[in-house]
């Protein structure tokens, strides 16, 4: 009986610490002095030749989907990426996110493209898993289509963490 209590207590701590850590918001100061809040990117898609990491970023006014595709074009070509992102959610609807910015980070070893989630679509992104994304990666190929296999609920989960924090 004592062993069962210890096991239950242990499992409680393991699962509760995981749920707290999953909503761990990070922040950084931008070059213009504004604050940006974000989560570590989750791997949405990976093969031997390409991968896609994704996370939600906010300035507390707007929400952005940040994509980190690999491979990515060099800075001269990458800065020309300005097409919108098309995401299909599990509600069987298609959403177009407006291109906001293309950034190269950590001495140009990471490329991140930010897309603005329209205010009217925040509810859908916070309630439905992402299924597919279509990205026009100028300089590499016409449109990359990613059928998400991993962490389909990362956008939904991260967005809900931000929304929950705003309510408090």
């Amino acid at each position: 009986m004592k062993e069962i209590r210890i096991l239950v207590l242990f499992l409680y701590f393991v699962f509760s610490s995981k749920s707290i850590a999953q909503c761990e918001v990070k922040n950084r100061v931008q070059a213009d002095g504004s604050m940006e809040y974000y989560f570590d990117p989750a791997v949405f898609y990976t093969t031997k030749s390409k991968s896609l990491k994704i996370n939600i970023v906010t300035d507390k006014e707007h929400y952005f989907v940040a994509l980190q595709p690999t491979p990515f074009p060099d800075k001269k070509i990458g800065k020309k990426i300005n097409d919108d992102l098309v995401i299909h959610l599990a509600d069987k609807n298609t959403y177009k996110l407006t291109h906001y910015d293309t950034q190269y980070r950590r001495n140009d070893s990471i490329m991140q493209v930010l897309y603005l989630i329209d205010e009217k679509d925040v509810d859908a992104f916070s309630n439905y898993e992402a299924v597919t994304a279509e990205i026009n990666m100028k300089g590499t190929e016409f449109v990359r289509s990613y059928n998400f296999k991993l962490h389909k609920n990362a956008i939904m989960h991260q967005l809900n963490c931000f929304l929950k924090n705003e309510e408090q």
Side-chain angles (χ1 to χ4, degrees), residues 134-145:
E134 298 165 15
I135 309 160
N136 187 346
M137 294 294 291
K138 292 184 169 124
T140 55
E141 55 203 63
F142 294 108
V143 174
R144 285 189 193 175
S145 185

Side-chain angles (χ1 to χ4, degrees), residues 20-30 34-42 55-60 63 68 105-106 112 158 161-162 165:
I20 291 168
Q22 289 176 348
C23 267
E24 187 177 322
V25 177
K26 298 183 177 192
N27 62 58
R28 64 179 153 241
V29 178
Q30 297 295 84
S34 64
M35 187 66 77
E36 173 182 273
Y37 303 89
Y38 65 98
F39 289 92
D40 285 330
N55 65 311
I56 298 292
V57 175
T58 185
D59 58 6
K60 298 265 178 142
Y63 296 99
Q68 294 179 357
R105 299 184 170 268
R106 296 190 194 149
Q112 176 174 277
Q158 292 178 12
C161 286
F162 281 130
N165 283 341

Side-chain angles (χ1 to χ4, degrees), residues 36-59:
E36 173 182 273
Y37 303 89
Y38 65 98
F39 289 92
D40 285 330
V43 177
F44 260 41
Y45 180 90
T46 187
T47 66
K48 286 183 180 182
S49 62
K50 62 183 177 178
S51 72
L52 182 67
K53 292 182 180 179
I54 197 163
N55 65 311
I56 298 292
V57 175
T58 185
D59 58 6

Side-chain angles (χ1 to χ4, degrees), residues 19-148:
S19 66
I20 291 168
Q22 289 176 348
C23 267
E24 187 177 322
V25 177
K26 298 183 177 192
N27 62 58
R28 64 179 153 241
V29 178
Q30 297 295 84
D32 65 1
S34 64
M35 187 66 77
E36 173 182 273
Y37 303 89
Y38 65 98
F39 289 92
D40 285 330
V43 177
F44 260 41
Y45 180 90
T46 187
T47 66
K48 286 183 180 182
S49 62
K50 62 183 177 178
S51 72
L52 182 67
K53 292 182 180 179
I54 197 163
N55 65 311
I56 298 292
V57 175
T58 185
D59 58 6
K60 298 265 178 142
E61 268 185 66
H62 305 95
Y63 296 99
F64 303 90
V65 170
L67 300 181
Q68 294 179 357
T70 304
F72 56 85
D74 65 42
K75 195 181 272 189
K76 184 177 178 183
I77 294 171
K79 287 293 186 176
K80 294 178 183 176
I81 295 173
N82 58 8
D83 287 352
D84 296 338
L85 171 68
V86 175
I87 291 189
H88 304 269
L89 297 182
D91 67 352
K92 301 202 185 322
N93 288 318
T94 301
Y95 298 87
K96 186 178 259 189
L97 283 66
T98 305
H99 175 270
Y100 184 78
D101 192 21
T102 301
Q103 306 167 343
Y104 284 78
R105 299 184 170 268
R106 296 190 194 149
N107 297 323
D108 299 342
S109 63
I110 296 174
M111 179 184 133
Q112 176 174 277
V113 187
L114 294 173
Y115 297 93
L116 178 65
I117 300 175
D118 193 304
E119 271 187 54
K120 69 177 176 35
D121 297 332
V122 168
D123 189 52
F125 278 89
S126 66
N127 286 301
Y128 297 99
E129 292 180 339
V131 178
T132 306
E134 298 165 15
I135 309 160
N136 187 346
M137 294 294 291
K138 292 184 169 124
T140 55
E141 55 203 63
F142 294 108
V143 174
R144 285 189 193 175
S145 185
Y146 296 90
N147 292 315
F148 299 141

